[in-house]
Amino acid sequence: MSVNLPRLSAACLALLALYAVYQLVTPVVHADMASTSRPDNHGNVRVLNAKQGQVLYVTLSLPGNPLSVVGHFHNRRIPFFGTGEEGQFAALLGIDMADEPNTLGLKAEVSYADSMRQRVIAVSVAPEVFREQRMTLPKDKVEPDAASLERIAMEREKVQAVFAAFTPKRLWSEPFLVPVEGTITGAFGSKRILNGQSRNQHNGEDIAAALGTPVKATNDGIVKMVDDHFFSGKGVILDHGLGLYTMYFHLDTTAVKEGDHVERGQVIGTVGKSGRATGPHLHWGAWLNGSRVNPFSLTTLPLEKARH
Ligand SMILES: [Zn+2]
């Protein structure tokens, strides 16, 4: 298939121009984000610049006391919450690590008592540079037998069931913490080649630390899963509400049980090398409304307005 690049970029520019015009003729839309942005002369941001695997903090200032705001990005539902400031709503928007680099709209449906309006924010997704990691592991950890494959399928189903249950309330109000002190390996999104065979992109970040180092909850939430997985070892999944989950794997011990409410900074387990791990480290993952995102992106969000 041949691709006409000039035509593609012309289409891109036309789309951007369309959004610029749309925003000029509609009420002011403020949008804040963690990293770069392009404000116009009035300080309003028209295009949010993002990278694969990033989390953005998006805010909308809306007139007339809307009842609720729900966004749509790709086929994902993005719930907004009131920040406590009059007319201001915010959302965490996840860019999946495999989202195609492109510019597309975050469409926010704004519900009033007697009407519905739509706001569109352009989001420009740039590619992230992911590493390639080659590793040699014992054969039974790369090519599991039939019984192990059955176990792996069941574990996956259970995790998917956890993600499918949506808590319609934001459970956190403070900034997100890094769960363990250690060496960040930069493994998020890396393309892994195990014993010469290609595997899925690595869906979390690894932090190397001594065996037994305490692992803390990144923020307030509810324990939705405590389990021992074939590949990921002992793990905990926390639900922070509004479709955000964080995962902590390869633990040596766990210190919480399913259903527990945990506070930001509470110790939930210790660093280990359970499952398929070559040394003690924490596998830290985050799942946000259908997107696999880099959990470190949560720790740099400008959340001062969300603390109410
Ligand atoms: Zn990992």
Side-chain angles (χ1 to χ4, degrees):
M1 196 180 80
S2 73
V3 178
N4 187 330
L5 280 177
R7 189 175 293 170
L8 269 182
S9 47
C12 243
L13 283 174
L15 189 68
L16 282 177
L18 197 67
Y19 282 125
V21 170
Y22 183 90
Q23 300 234 337
L24 283 175
V25 298
T26 52
V28 174
V29 176
H30 293 281
D32 301 335
M33 57 178 298
S35 59
T36 53
S37 54
R38 290 183 220 149
D40 67 10
N41 295 339
H42 309 288
N44 301 321
V45 178
R46 291 188 184 139
V47 180
L48 298 183
N49 291 317
K51 277 193 164 185
Q52 290 171 323
Q54 194 182 358
V55 179
L56 305 181
Y57 181 63
V58 182
T59 63
L60 282 172
S61 291
L62 297 160
N65 295 320
L67 299 175
S68 67
V69 182
V70 177
H72 296 276
F73 187 73
H74 286 282
N75 57 352
R76 303 170 203 142
R77 190 176 176 277
I78 313 297
F80 278 74
F81 53 87
T83 64
E85 256 176 62
E86 203 185 327
Q88 194 181 58
F89 287 78
L92 299 185
L93 173 65
I95 311 297
D96 187 78
M97 62 183 178
D99 276 354
E100 286 290 321
N102 202 348
T103 298
L104 69 166
L106 164 62
K107 299 184 186 83
E109 285 168 8
V110 185
S111 300
Y112 293 91
D114 55 357
S115 64
M116 182 97 107
R117 290 188 199 165
Q118 197 185 66
R119 295 282 178 274
V120 182
I121 301 166
V123 180
S124 173
V125 177
E128 180 58 283
V129 180
F130 295 122
R131 292 183 346 201
E132 191 178 276
Q133 279 186 312
R134 285 175 187 275
M135 281 188 280
T136 304
L137 293 163
K139 196 168 182 279
D140 63 335
K141 287 287 180 189
V142 178
E143 295 169 51
D145 59 21
S148 301
L149 285 173
E150 203 172 307
R151 175 183 162 188
I152 292 161
M154 280 173 64
E155 290 166 359
R156 199 165 289 160
E157 255 176 55
K158 198 175 159 191
V159 170
Q160 278 165 358
V162 167
F163 293 159
F166 179 79
T167 300
K169 192 172 173 254
R170 177 169 60 116
L171 301 174
W172 54 272
S173 58
E174 293 292 313
F176 290 79
L177 294 174
V178 177
V180 70
E181 275 182 47
T183 309
I184 301 155
T185 60
F188 177 79
S190 61
K191 291 154 190 167
R192 292 193 156 170
I193 299 161
L194 306 183
N195 300 0
Q197 301 173 24
S198 271
R199 285 292 182 268
N200 290 339
Q201 271 180 278
H202 183 243
N203 64 1
E205 185 58 274
D206 292 334
I207 309 173
L211 191 78
T213 308
V215 174
K216 297 168 186 164
T218 184
N219 219 328
D220 295 359
I222 301 169
V223 178
K224 280 294 161 86
M225 199 202 78
V226 180
D227 209 350
D228 189 354
H229 285 183
F230 180 82
F231 287 129
S232 314
K234 285 184 193 167
V236 173
I237 299 181
L238 300 182
D239 176 3
H240 304 286
L242 297 182
L244 174 65
Y245 297 83
T246 54
M247 290 154 268
Y248 310 79
F249 277 101
H250 297 308
L251 300 175
D252 188 49
T253 60
T254 53
V256 287
K257 59 182 192 308
E258 288 174 13
D260 283 358
H261 285 250
V262 294
E263 286 180 12
R264 174 183 186 265
Q266 184 178 330
V267 174
I268 57 173
T270 55
V271 170
K273 52 178 184 171
S274 55
R276 189 174 70 186
T278 50
H281 73 280
L282 173 70
H283 172 96
W284 189 28
W287 196 91
L288 177 56
N289 291 306
S291 297
R292 296 158 300 167
V293 293
N294 188 336
F296 276 92
S297 193
L298 292 167
T299 66
T300 54
L301 297 171
L303 294 177
E304 51 295 323
K305 288 174 195 155
R307 289 192 198 184
H308 300 276

